[in-house]
C-alpha cells in the first residue's frame, strides 16, 4: 500500500486521529501521493460504489460499530484492497465474525483512547521513517524524534503539563475545543474526560459557548489564530484552560493524545 500513488483513508469514531496523521503526513511530506480522507459511512454510501478500487486503509476505534461491518462487506463485494485496524473485541462471537475478513488487523488495547493513541504513534513512527529525508531539517527532526521513542517523552509531557491537567480534571463539566487541525485530538481529549467521569463536549472554536469552562488545545504555530478568540471569550466570562504545545504540528497531534492517556490517572 505504501507504493500506491493513491490511497483512501477512512475513520470511524476515534480512528479519526491515526487516519488524520496518515492524511497530513502524506500531504505535507509527499504531496505527489493523492490521499483522500473520509468517514466510513460517507465512503460506504456515497463514494465506494462510484470509484475505481483505490487501496483503502481504515481505522475504527469501536469494533462493535455497524459501520465496521458495512465497510468490510462493501470493500469485499467491490473488490477493494483494504486494511482495517481495530481494537480486538472481548466478545468471542464478534471476534469470530470479524476474523472472517482477511483485511482486519486487531490491536490489543484497553479502550478507545488507548487505541487512538497507540495507532497515532504507530503511524507517526512509520511515516517519519519513510519520509525522513523530505523537507530537509523538518523531515530529519521528525524522524529523529520517532526513533527516540515516546515513553520518555510521555513522562516529560506529563511533568510539564500536569498543572494544566489538574486544573481541568478538577472541574465537573468542561467544553473542549481546538483549531481544525487538532480536532481529532480535541475529540479524543473530550472522550478521555468523559471516561474519567467529567461531563465534556467537544465544540469548534467558532462555536465555543459564551459561559462555563473551556479547554483549548492548540500548537504554537496556531497562536495567532486563537489569540483574539481567547480574548473575546475571557471578556465574556468564560474560564479558558489553554494548553499550548510548542512542537511541530504533526507531533502535536500525537502529544495531545499521549496527554489524554493520563487524565483518568489524575482524576483517580
Amino acid at each position: 500500500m505504501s507504493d500506491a500513488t493513491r490511497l483512501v483513508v477512512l475513520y470511524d469514531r476515534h480512528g479519526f486521529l491515526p487516519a488524520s496523521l496518515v492524511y497530513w503526513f502524506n500531504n505535507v511530506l509527499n504531496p505527489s501521493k493523492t490521499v483522500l480522507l473520509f468517514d466510513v459511512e460517507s465512503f460506504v454510501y456515497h463514494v465506494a460504489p462510484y470509484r475505481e478500487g483505490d487501496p483503502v486503509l481504515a481505522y475504527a476505534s469501536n469494533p462493535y460499530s455497524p459501520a465496521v461491518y458495512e465497510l468490510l462487506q462493501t470493500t469485499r463485494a467491490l473488490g477493494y484492497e483494504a486494511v482495517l485496524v481495530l481494537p480486538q473485541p472481548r466478545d468471542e462471537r464478534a471476534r469470530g465474525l470479524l476474523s472472517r475478513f482477511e483485511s482486519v488487523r486487531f490491536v490489543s488495547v484497553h479502550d478507545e483512547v488507548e487505541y487512538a493513541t497507540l495507532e497515532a504513534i504507530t503511524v507517526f513512527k512509520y511515516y517519519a521513517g519513510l519520509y525522513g529525508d523530505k523537507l530537509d531539517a523538518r523531515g530529519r527532526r521528525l524522524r529523529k524524534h520517532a526513533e527516540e521513542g515516546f515513553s520518555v517523552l510521555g513522562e516529560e509531557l506529563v511533568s510539564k503539563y500536569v498543572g494544566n491537567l489538574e486544573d481541568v480534571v478538577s472541574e465537573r463539566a468542561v467544553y473542549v475545543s481546538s483549531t481544525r487541525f487538532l480536532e481529532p485530538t480535541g475529540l479524543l481529549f473530550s472522550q478521555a474526560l468523559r471516561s474519567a467521569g467529567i461531563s465534556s463536549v467537544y465544540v469548534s472554536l467558532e462555536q465555543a459557548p459564551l459561559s462555563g469552562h473551556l479547554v483549548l488545545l492548540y500548537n504554537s504555530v496556531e497562536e495567532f489564530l486563537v489569540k483574539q478568540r481567547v480574548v473575546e471569550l475571557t471578556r465574556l466570562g468564560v474560564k479558558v484552560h489553554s494548553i499550548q504545545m510548542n512542537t511541530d504540528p504533526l507531533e502535536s497531534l500525537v502529544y495531545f493524545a499521549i496527554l489524554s492517556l493520563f487524565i483518568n490517572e489524575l482524576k483517580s
Side-chain angles (χ1 to χ4, degrees):
M1 232 177 238
S2 61
D3 297 329
T5 58
R6 300 177 65 87
L7 179 65
V8 176
V9 186
L10 308 178
Y11 63 89
D12 188 50
R13 288 181 60 81
H14 297 294
F16 191 22
L17 176 57
S20 294
L21 271 165
V22 174
Y23 175 83
W24 282 111
F25 255 106
N26 280 284
N27 277 280
V28 171
L29 297 179
N30 187 27
S32 63
K33 186 167 186 171
T34 301
V35 179
L36 303 177
L37 180 66
F38 301 104
D39 64 273
V40 166
E41 291 181 357
S42 293
F43 176 76
V44 167
Y45 296 112
H46 306 297
V47 178
Y50 309 105
R51 292 188 60 85
E52 295 294 329
D54 294 330
V56 171
L57 175 60
Y59 295 92
S61 61
N62 179 8
Y64 305 105
S65 169
V68 166
Y69 293 92
E70 288 288 332
L71 175 63
L72 290 170
Q73 291 170 350
T74 298
T75 52
R76 174 185 280 181
L78 297 179
Y80 278 89
E81 177 192 354
V83 173
L84 172 59
V85 185
L86 286 171
Q88 182 165 290
R90 293 180 176 85
D91 181 79
E92 288 188 17
R93 183 174 178 273
R95 189 162 59 248
L97 287 172
L98 290 167
S99 297
R100 296 176 185 176
F101 296 89
E102 294 181 357
S103 56
V104 171
R105 303 291 184 272
F106 287 130
V107 181
S108 296
V109 291
H110 176 68
D111 58 20
E112 290 186 87
V113 176
E114 184 181 358
Y115 164 83
T117 303
L118 291 181
E119 286 309 302
I121 290 172
T122 299
V123 170
F124 184 94
K125 287 184 175 181
Y126 175 77
Y127 280 108
L130 187 65
Y131 297 143
D133 59 346
K134 304 283 186 178
L135 295 186
D136 300 323
R138 184 183 185 187
R140 290 194 298 271
R141 184 174 63 253
L142 291 172
R143 180 169 57 190
K144 178 176 180 292
H145 291 175
E147 291 171 349
E148 290 172 348
F150 290 91
S151 57
V152 175
L153 177 62
E155 296 175 1
E156 293 176 353
L157 280 173
V158 174
S159 176
K160 181 175 181 179
Y161 293 101
V162 65
N164 301 83
L165 293 178
E166 287 176 341
D167 287 343
V168 172
V169 300
S170 68
E171 305 292 352
R172 294 179 58 187
V174 298
Y175 292 94
V176 177
S177 189
S178 69
T179 58
R180 292 292 182 184
F181 179 80
L182 287 172
E183 182 178 358
T185 47
L187 289 163
L188 188 68
F189 206 87
S190 185
Q191 174 68 44
L193 288 169
R194 289 194 297 274
S195 297
I198 300 166
S199 177
S200 178
V201 176
Y202 179 84
V203 294
S204 67
L205 191 55
E206 296 84 0
Q207 297 177 324
L210 304 183
S211 61
H213 298 263
L214 180 72
V215 181
L216 176 60
L217 312 180
Y218 65 100
N219 57 57
S220 55
V221 301
E222 299 170 326
E223 185 173 8
F224 178 77
L225 296 176
V226 305
K227 187 174 182 180
Q228 185 57 42
R229 185 60 174 150
V230 170
V231 170
E232 293 171 356
L233 291 170
T234 302
R235 284 176 178 169
L236 291 169
V238 178
K239 184 176 180 180
V240 180
H241 301 272
S242 295
I243 306 180
Q244 176 183 313
M245 197 69 66
N246 188 26
T247 62
D248 186 284
L250 289 170
E251 289 178 300
S252 66
L253 283 164
V254 179
Y255 296 168
F256 276 122
I258 291 174
L259 279 185
S260 72
L261 285 175
F262 291 89
I263 287 174
N264 195 63
E265 183 177 334
L266 283 173
K267 182 62 177 178
S268 60

